[in-house]
């Protein structure tokens, strides 16, 4: 009976320590950041963007919310916003994206074979990287990579959008901590 109780206690400890480890790694990144940049297309076209990101810790891992606002030549603004919860995996510093709830109420990954993005993240040193993989109807792929590196007073954001191995768009800017 004592062995069963000991095993149960160890399982409970591990279940609570994995999210705690995620929160320890994400801690330095937690905050609100804003900035502006020019997105550079493969043809060299430059498109001005305003960007903001909020990184927060939660009981199971962490959440990254971000918005990119494009300023159109005619003065219109077009914004895209995303919010993704990241959950620790059994691999240190690698996180799965909980983007949908399954029938049991657990956060699960999306399916790239259904045209949905497969998203994951990692923390390596002072850089939080988020990857998004898309597979289109013809089997071509797109990978977006967001590197957010800690810097004095904020984050350095480096974004690259790859289509079948070729860079299509990129941006690098500093986002100031608020």
């Amino acid at each position: 009976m004592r062995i069963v109780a000991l095993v149960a206690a160890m399982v409970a400890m591990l279940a609570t320590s994995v999210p705690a480890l995620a929160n320890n790694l994400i801690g330095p990144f937690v905050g609100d950041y804003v900035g502006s940049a020019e997105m550079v297309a493969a043809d060299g076209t430059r498109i001005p963007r305003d960007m903001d990101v909020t990184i927060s810790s939660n009981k199971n891992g962490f959440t990254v919310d971000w918005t990119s606002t494009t300023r159109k030549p005619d003065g219109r603004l077009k914004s895209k916003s995303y919010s993704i919860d990241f959950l620790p995996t059994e691999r240190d510093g690698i996180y799965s994206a909980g983007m949908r709830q399954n029938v049991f109420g657990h956060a699960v990954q999306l399916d790239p074979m259904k045209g949905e993005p497969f998203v994951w993240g990692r923390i390596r040193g002072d850089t939080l990287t988020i990857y998004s993989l898309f597979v289109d109807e013809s089997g071509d792929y797109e990978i977006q990579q967001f590197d957010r590196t800690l810097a004095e007073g904020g984050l350095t954001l480096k974004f690259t959008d790859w289509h079948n191995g070729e860079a299509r768009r990129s941006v690098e800017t500093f986002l100031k901590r608020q």
Side-chain angles (χ1 to χ4, degrees):
M1 202 62 160
R2 286 185 180 190
I3 292 175
V4 172
L6 180 60
V7 170
M10 289 175 63
V11 168
M13 181 180 74
L14 286 173
T16 58
S17 67
V18 171
L21 178 60
N23 290 338
N24 285 343
L25 292 177
I26 198 66
F29 296 91
V30 169
D32 299 313
Y33 305 88
V34 297
S36 296
E38 286 188 336
M39 177 72 67
V40 181
D43 67 1
T45 304
R46 295 181 174 275
I47 304 161
R49 297 240 172 129
D50 293 327
M51 300 175 196
D52 65 76
V53 64
T54 297
I55 302 170
S56 57
S57 178
N58 61 46
K59 68 177 185 171
N60 296 319
F62 61 93
T63 302
V64 179
D65 299 294
W66 73 97
T67 299
S68 176
T69 302
T70 303
R71 292 183 235 147
K72 302 285 186 174
D74 63 6
R76 289 179 300 130
L77 299 177
K78 180 180 177 183
S79 293
K80 291 184 180 180
S81 295
Y82 304 90
S83 180
I84 302 176
D85 292 329
F86 289 91
L87 308 168
T89 67
E90 295 176 2
R91 298 160 76 184
D92 188 33
I94 300 176
Y95 304 87
S96 64
M99 296 178 68
R100 175 179 32 207
Q101 300 287 318
N102 67 13
V103 295
F104 302 107
H106 299 270
V108 295
Q109 298 271 104
L110 298 179
D111 185 350
M113 293 301 117
K114 293 180 178 176
E116 302 170 328
F118 184 82
V119 179
W120 72 99
R122 80 166 181 213
I123 297 175
R124 182 177 292 160
D126 62 354
T127 301
L128 165 62
T129 301
I130 295 174
Y131 300 96
S132 298
L133 168 67
F134 303 86
V135 179
D136 71 15
E137 293 169 359
S138 68
D140 288 348
Y141 70 91
E142 177 181 348
I143 294 180
Q144 295 180 348
Q145 180 174 340
F146 298 82
D147 291 319
R148 294 176 174 100
T149 302
L150 295 170
E152 186 174 333
L155 294 173
T156 299
L157 169 67
K158 182 177 180 187
F159 166 81
T160 307
D161 178 23
W162 303 88
H163 183 259
N164 291 337
E166 293 186 27
R168 289 196 315 186
R169 300 176 295 158
S170 65
V171 68
E172 190 165 348
T173 192
F174 177 76
L175 302 177
K176 184 177 179 182
R177 185 183 291 265
Q178 297 301 288

